[in-house]
Amino acid sequence: MTKPFSPGELMARVKVQLRRKKRENVQIQEKLVVGPLELNLSSYEVSVRGKKVELAGKELFILKFFMEHPNQVFTKSQIYHHVWDVCYEDDNTVMVYISHLREKIEEDPRKPRLLQTIRGIGYRLEAANENAL
């Protein structure tokens, strides 16, 4: 840039350089993969062991939340506040959605290996469970 220059031109050039740098540093993650589960973040398609599975909206958001935090235990309250984003909470609602989600992603929903109940605490998505594959 040669002198004299206008402050507007300087700002425009700085913004262009910042955009270029940001584009270089940002890696867009297109899918989440945890064990046999795969979630495409652009199309919100879910597959389990290679088979496409249709999920309802809240089921999808619950699964996404767990896939973003594999092997972490969450209480029903934490799940409710994250997915529904309201102050009121209903443990039964979370239990019902977890049950529906298990029916769609587990081989045997009565003996879940992926979406596990941690008795007295909450739920966890098991990421490294070879028996689930």
Side-chain angles (χ1 to χ4, degrees):
M1 202 164 165
T2 59
K3 293 183 186 176
F5 56 86
S6 71
E9 183 180 354
L10 175 64
M11 289 302 295
R13 289 182 184 225
V14 168
K15 286 180 183 178
V16 166
Q17 291 300 319
L18 288 173
R19 271 196 313 266
R20 285 182 187 159
K21 190 67 176 169
K22 187 176 180 181
R23 231 181 284 139
E24 291 171 7
N25 291 336
V26 173
Q27 283 187 332
I28 299 173
Q29 186 177 7
E30 292 184 18
K31 63 182 170 180
L32 294 172
V33 178
V34 176
L37 301 170
E38 186 174 308
L39 170 61
N40 184 318
L41 295 172
S42 59
S43 65
Y44 278 93
E45 291 178 340
V46 176
S47 62
V48 182
R49 296 170 194 85
K51 296 171 101 174
K52 191 174 173 183
V53 176
E54 295 293 327
L55 298 180
K58 296 297 183 190
E59 294 168 351
L60 184 69
F61 290 126
I62 291 170
L63 183 62
K64 181 177 183 257
F65 177 61
F66 278 114
M67 290 180 78
E68 289 171 339
H69 307 94
N71 296 319
Q72 285 186 280
V73 178
F74 293 99
T75 65
K76 294 173 198 165
S77 178
Q78 288 173 313
I79 297 165
Y80 193 87
H81 288 294
H82 179 80
V83 174
W84 280 267
D85 195 30
V86 292
C87 293
Y88 172 78
E89 63 186 66
D90 182 7
D91 288 352
N92 192 46
T93 300
V94 173
M95 289 169 45
V96 169
Y97 275 94
I98 293 288
S99 174
H100 291 302
L101 188 54
R102 281 180 172 157
E103 289 175 15
K104 295 176 180 181
I105 67 170
E106 295 283 356
E107 285 182 356
D108 183 359
R110 286 172 269 146
K111 296 178 184 174
R113 293 185 173 173
L114 295 170
L115 194 51
Q116 299 178 341
T117 299
I118 307 304
R119 200 167 279 228
I121 301 173
Y123 300 97
R124 165 183 69 204
L125 179 66
E126 181 67 37
N129 189 342
E130 276 111 45
N131 295 329
L133 296 172

